[in-house]
Amino acid sequence: MRICDGLNLAKEFGNRFAYLLMEFHLKKSREWIFLHLNDELAKKDKFIELLDRYKNGEPLEYIFGSCEFMGRDFEVGQGVLIPRFETEILIEKALEIASKFNAPRIAEIGVGSGIISISLALELKNAKIIATDISLDALKYAKINKEKFQVDIELIESNYLDKVNGDFDIIISNPPYIAANYPLDKWVLSEPKTALIGGQIGDEILKDIINLAKSRAKYLICEMGYDQRESMKNYLDKLDFQSEFYTDLAGLDRGFVAYNKGK
């Protein structure tokens, strides 16, 4: 089998996918691959194995063991949510709010692989950041990435902030917000359901976090589902938050920044 034959097999899932998989398999650049298309494909059985893993529903990021986020490579794997590009907007919003404080005290609920807390810590040298998760798998990857980027964040196994004391300037979260009956493809279904499903309706965990933030934070910054703006706006109003919503690059509602008028 030549390199071009392997690429043609993988192009079932798109041209970009084929080259990414080949680059990973050969540990060569795309330019090198273009110049060697007719070369024999080294370890072709291993390449077919990688392709079969993807066909069977294993996300590319799990196969690679990493995912790019805000220009940095974070380690990911089974049991942890794969970072999405739209979460970069969440961090941009958090940095805007954090600039109001000299040494912001920040809590993240649901740290996952650590992309949010680590990205904030790299930009906010004076911040005190505590991050929680109920998943030991997620905390394992958060610890790996924390050490990789050498940031000072405290990682705690906890449901919400149950094992964390004190109040915060900012609570931030990209919580599960998908409804239980929402159809998902097999690659997304390979990710942990506890990081995806927010309840029967989908907004239940978001509402829990709003309730918690009411007594413990000046600002709450959350990602949410594209169809949850009305639900979130009504609930935030009910608890006396002043809220602003933002959209992703596709123009879909994607999150909110809420100021706790009672704090």
Side-chain angles (χ1 to χ4, degrees):
M1 180 186 290
R2 297 173 300 168
I3 289 174
C4 60
D5 298 324
L7 285 170
N8 286 333
L9 283 176
K11 283 180 179 178
E12 171 187 352
F13 299 102
N15 195 62
R16 180 176 178 272
F17 166 84
Y19 277 99
L20 285 173
L21 195 66
M22 188 63 73
E23 289 168 25
F24 175 75
H25 173 65
L26 295 176
K27 304 296 187 287
K28 297 289 187 181
S29 69
R30 189 161 307 191
E31 290 76 15
W32 187 95
I33 292 169
F34 275 129
L35 295 172
H36 295 82
L37 288 173
N38 290 313
D39 287 8
E40 191 70 16
L41 176 59
K43 300 180 180 178
K44 67 177 182 181
D45 291 343
K46 289 290 185 182
F47 180 78
I48 299 300
E49 181 183 322
L50 292 175
L51 186 55
D52 285 343
R53 285 168 63 185
Y54 185 78
K55 285 182 177 180
N56 291 331
E58 185 174 354
L60 202 59
E61 293 84 356
Y62 284 177
I63 294 171
F64 291 174
S66 67
C67 182
E68 182 179 336
F69 184 80
M70 297 193 79
R72 304 179 180 104
D73 284 326
F74 287 82
E75 294 193 30
V76 296
Q78 294 285 345
V80 69
L81 185 72
I82 295 168
R84 267 70 168 181
F85 176 74
E86 56 263 25
T87 303
E88 295 187 7
I89 307 172
L90 181 76
I91 290 171
E92 291 169 2
K93 297 296 181 182
L95 291 173
E96 290 176 16
I97 298 301
S99 67
K100 301 174 183 287
F101 305 94
N102 290 325
R105 182 168 164 80
I106 300 171
E108 181 187 1
I109 296 172
V111 69
S113 60
I115 57 165
I116 293 173
S117 285
I118 290 169
S119 297
L120 291 175
L122 288 168
E123 300 294 333
L124 303 169
K125 302 304 182 183
N126 294 326
K128 169 65 175 176
I129 300 175
I130 296 174
T132 70
D133 209 296
I134 58 172
S135 166
L136 292 177
D137 287 333
L139 288 166
K140 176 185 75 173
Y141 280 101
K143 183 178 180 182
I144 289 169
N145 287 315
K146 169 188 170 179
E147 292 173 354
K148 177 178 181 178
F149 293 103
Q150 298 183 320
V151 293
D152 182 19
I153 61 175
E154 185 177 357
L155 298 171
I156 299 175
E157 180 192 356
S158 176
N159 185 43
Y160 297 109
L161 297 177
D162 292 353
K163 297 180 183 178
V164 178
N165 296 321
D167 293 349
F168 297 89
D169 298 308
I170 299 169
I171 290 177
I172 187 168
S173 185
N174 176 19
Y177 52 72
I178 298 174
N181 64 352
Y182 189 85
L184 299 169
D185 67 40
K186 61 183 177 180
W187 293 279
V188 175
L189 287 171
S190 293
E191 298 179 67
K193 287 186 177 180
T194 54
L196 295 168
I197 306 303
Q200 288 301 312
I201 297 173
D203 65 1
E204 290 92 332
I205 291 176
L206 276 160
K207 288 179 176 177
D208 286 346
I209 293 172
I210 294 170
N211 283 328
L212 185 156
K214 178 60 185 174
S215 62
R216 299 191 63 180
K218 294 184 179 74
Y219 286 90
L220 175 62
I221 307 171
C222 287
E223 192 168 304
M224 67 179 195
Y226 69 92
D227 58 350
Q228 294 172 335
R229 177 170 178 156
E230 183 178 359
S231 167
M232 291 297 96
K233 178 68 166 63
N234 291 339
Y235 206 75
L236 288 163
D237 286 350
K238 177 182 175 182
L239 270 69
D240 203 29
F241 281 89
Q242 177 183 319
S243 59
E244 292 184 4
F245 290 79
Y246 65 85
T247 58
D248 59 23
L249 293 181
L252 299 172
D253 290 316
R254 187 53 61 193
F256 62 80
V257 177
Y259 170 65
N260 186 354
K261 290 187 281 187
K263 278 285 186 177

